[in-house]
Amino acid sequence: MPADNERRFLQLVARRPIRSNVTDFPSRNLSRSRTRPAATTASGRCRTGYYIYTRFDHRPDVDPYCQALYPFCPAGDRDGRVPYMRDSDVISVFRLQAPVWEFKYGDLLGKFHIMHDAIGFQSAETEQNYTMEWYELHQLGNCTFPHLRKDVSAPFWCNQGAACVYGGIDDVHWLQNGTLEKVGEISGRQFNDMTRWVQEDNGTGIYYETWTVKSDPGANSTVWFESYDCSQFVHRTYRKLAELGAKLSSRTQTNYTKIYLYSGEPSYLGDDSIFHQPSTKALATDIRNFYSYFQPHQSIVEILRSITEAFEKVAIKRSFYLFYNFEYWHLPMKPPYIQITYEEVPLPR
């Protein structure tokens, strides 16, 4: 589940930094290449997804307009250094999960199964612990909805996400209202191979996606768009560890938070050029109006009005604009429209 992770920032900022691979990539034009799954239909549509998350050849610099209330990965090392383990070392792997915004609200969001996920590691030789997680650079709201700037015609997105590795595991944080469970052991060589993969994964999967979009809540429904958030990073890492030969198991059911939108078949609209062409002026206006319901720094009266108008747009007019792979899609919404679930995703074997 996506999370702002402010809770650890206050607790860990004084600890010795280990790694933060967030913006240590050259800034140049993005070269896009769609990642294709092994099984596709003749038209190129994925059997389990309508549109595949696009990876890039590098991570661009962050636009200075994008400002985080709490800085990204302050306990990590911005030179991109990774703890190196001796090949003969034995590394314990821990499943970590805690309620989103626990540092503010304790277990409140945990009661609704709105959880954040991470992975912990412990070296047998050095007895050092490390926490690894992936989350948004500029808080969840910025990744879910754009800013509407008077000087920019297109909606402006601050939606990058990245991996963060730092020293220590905050036992109290993970155990008090969540999960801290050892799920396996790997060798130092496997750990080093994994960290090299993390560097590549982090440098090519650069933006955060909150929503999973499905045709309906049924077991055989079509997944139009898949999310790309903290739990997806954890799943990818577990799969990589299994590929490297790790044996992972849990004594408890491994559940994760998902935020679903339910929609009929999406319609492709275009990219930012929508907002620069006279022929699409009406569409551009409608998209900007839709996102105006979700802008920050509104008064109480404005928030109540925005909630009412957003409900009318999504539930009554059954319309939602999704930004995915830097392109806009229209979702013809269907009941129950939106749902937060806490469902099992078994560890890979």
Side-chain angles (χ1 to χ4, degrees):
M1 167 68 194
D4 292 345
N5 298 287
E6 297 99 327
R7 53 190 182 276
R8 274 179 303 294
F9 296 163
L10 301 178
Q11 298 166 340
L12 295 171
V13 69
R15 296 189 181 181
R16 189 171 186 267
I18 301 298
R19 170 193 178 199
S20 171
N21 44 3
V22 46
T23 57
D24 304 318
F25 297 87
S27 177
R28 60 183 188 275
N29 292 330
L30 294 180
S31 174
R32 302 174 54 180
S33 59
R34 185 178 302 175
T35 303
R36 296 188 180 276
T40 58
T41 64
S43 64
R45 181 190 299 178
C46 171
R47 292 185 190 275
T48 58
Y50 187 82
Y51 202 72
I52 308 304
Y53 183 92
T54 297
R55 288 187 173 272
F56 297 83
D57 65 351
H58 75 287
R59 178 178 295 279
D61 290 337
V62 175
D63 192 289
Y65 180 86
C66 299
Q67 297 291 325
L69 181 62
Y70 299 93
F72 175 81
C73 200
D77 186 287
R78 292 189 176 273
D79 291 331
R81 290 176 292 185
V82 181
Y84 177 82
M85 306 295 181
R86 286 165 51 91
D87 287 354
S88 59
D89 200 350
V90 177
I91 313 299
S92 297
V93 182
F94 296 91
R95 176 174 175 254
L96 307 178
Q97 187 175 81
V100 170
W101 299 320
E102 189 215 26
F103 88 110
K104 284 186 176 180
Y105 306 117
D107 190 37
L108 176 62
L109 295 180
K111 297 182 187 302
F112 300 95
H113 299 302
I114 302 177
M115 311 296 282
H116 172 67
D117 302 282
I119 305 177
F121 301 96
Q122 182 181 54
S123 164
E125 291 190 3
T126 67
E127 298 185 348
Q128 294 295 310
N129 299 326
Y130 305 95
T131 299
M132 181 171 69
E133 53 191 346
W134 194 96
Y135 60 97
E136 61 277 1
L137 269 62
H138 303 103
Q139 277 74 67
L140 176 59
N142 286 322
C143 289
T144 307
F145 298 107
H147 291 262
L148 299 179
R149 299 172 59 180
K150 294 181 179 179
D151 58 335
V152 180
S153 57
F156 191 87
W157 291 85
C158 299
N159 59 342
Q160 283 200 48
C164 173
V165 180
Y166 51 85
I169 295 176
D170 187 346
D171 295 1
V172 174
H173 165 70
W174 300 107
L175 278 174
Q176 187 170 21
N177 295 306
T179 300
L180 194 165
E181 180 193 15
K182 182 176 177 178
V183 293
E185 292 182 347
I186 58 177
S187 68
R189 179 188 293 273
Q190 290 170 320
F191 179 86
N192 295 331
D193 288 342
M194 178 207 67
T195 58
R196 283 190 288 269
W197 168 83
V198 168
Q199 289 274 16
E200 179 182 354
D201 181 83
N202 190 54
T204 59
I206 65 172
Y207 69 93
Y208 189 103
E209 177 54 53
T210 302
W211 311 106
T212 296
V213 185
K214 295 176 63 176
S215 59
D216 58 75
N220 297 319
S221 63
T222 299
V223 179
W224 303 118
F225 300 93
E226 186 58 84
S227 62
Y228 200 86
D229 54 22
C230 64
S231 65
Q232 293 293 333
F233 172 76
V234 167
H235 299 325
R236 291 196 305 278
T237 305
Y238 285 152
R239 290 195 296 268
K240 184 61 180 180
L241 289 173
E243 177 187 316
L244 293 170
K247 306 297 182 184
L248 304 174
S249 63
S250 174
R251 298 184 302 274
T252 60
Q253 186 168 302
T254 52
N255 285 30
Y256 300 88
T257 305
K258 297 282 283 187
I259 305 180
Y260 288 109
L261 297 176
Y262 296 106
S263 164
E265 183 167 354
S267 299
Y268 172 73
L269 302 176
D271 55 19
D272 277 358
S273 62
I274 294 171
F275 304 92
H276 305 290
Q277 299 175 359
S279 61
T280 54
K281 182 178 180 180
L283 174 61
T285 299
D286 199 46
I287 293 174
R288 287 182 63 91
N289 286 342
F290 173 76
Y291 287 131
S292 70
Y293 308 144
F294 307 100
Q295 293 304 292
H297 312 304
Q298 298 185 70
S299 68
I300 297 297
V301 173
E302 290 171 330
I303 290 173
L304 293 175
R305 183 171 61 245
S306 293
I307 291 174
T308 302
E309 292 173 346
F311 176 81
E312 178 183 1
K313 185 71 171 181
V314 175
I316 298 177
K317 296 184 179 179
R318 302 192 176 191
S319 180
F320 191 100
Y321 288 112
L322 178 73
F323 186 67
Y324 199 89
N325 285 345
F326 296 94
E327 296 171 325
Y328 290 91
W329 297 76
H330 178 257
L331 306 180
M333 300 297 287
K334 297 164 54 178
Y337 308 112
I338 184 171
Q339 187 177 33
I340 299 175
T341 67
Y342 189 59
E343 55 195 53
E344 182 181 17
V345 180
L347 291 168
R349 297 186 181 277

